[in-house]
């Protein structure tokens, strides 16, 4: 079980990413535009750097929805591998059976 502060920090990061997404996309598009002047592109880069660090989507971390575990999270379910296994063994995930050969 992850600390509550870690899951809350991650939630705060996701909200910040969502808040700055449009502005960030506009600045990235301007800075990558080859037809724009060099001054405009540099100005866009400086504005992009002045945004909060947590507004970058790269800084977000996938965490288990049940426990907050940061590693071994299946993106299809959003649940960590050990919690997913418990749910499968209990029969709560449809279409999944225990392998036996």
């Amino acid at each position: 079980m992850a600390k509550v502060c870690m899951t809350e920090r991650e939630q705060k990061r996701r909200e910040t990413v969502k808040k700055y997404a449009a502005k960030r996309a506009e600045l990235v598009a301007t800075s990558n535009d080859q037809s724009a002047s060099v001054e405009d592109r540099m100005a866009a880069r400086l504005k992009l750097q002045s945004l909060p660090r947590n507004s970058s989507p790269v800084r977000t971390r996938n965490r288990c929805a049940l426990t907050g575990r940061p590693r071994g999270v299946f993106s299809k379910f959003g649940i960590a591998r050990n919690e997913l296994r418990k749910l499968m063994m209990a029969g709560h995930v449809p279409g999944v059976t225990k392998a036996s050969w």
Side-chain angles (χ1 to χ4, degrees):
M1 194 81 180
K3 290 183 180 179
V4 175
C5 66
M6 299 303 282
T7 55
E8 288 178 356
R9 181 186 301 167
E10 195 59 41
Q11 183 61 34
K12 187 177 174 184
R13 278 187 182 141
R14 291 186 189 280
E15 290 169 2
T16 308
V17 167
K18 193 179 291 184
K19 178 180 175 182
Y20 287 98
K23 187 173 187 178
R24 194 169 187 82
E26 177 185 335
L27 289 172
V28 168
T30 304
S31 66
N32 290 338
D33 186 16
Q34 296 293 327
S35 62
S37 68
V38 176
E39 292 82 19
D40 291 341
R41 293 173 67 193
M42 274 307 276
R45 273 284 163 205
L46 290 174
K47 286 180 185 177
L48 190 63
Q49 289 176 359
S50 68
L51 292 178
R53 283 188 176 186
N54 285 337
S55 68
S56 174
V58 173
R59 290 175 66 97
T60 58
R61 175 86 178 176
N62 288 338
R63 287 189 173 267
C64 177
L66 301 177
T67 61
R69 188 177 202 278
R71 296 181 180 224
V73 178
F74 283 78
S75 58
K76 183 176 182 178
F77 301 103
I79 299 174
R81 59 183 173 78
N82 45 8
E83 293 298 317
L84 185 61
R85 183 177 187 275
K86 288 178 190 174
L87 291 174
M88 287 179 190
M89 295 306 242
H92 296 301
V93 181
V96 179
T97 56
K98 185 178 177 185
S100 60
W101 62 90

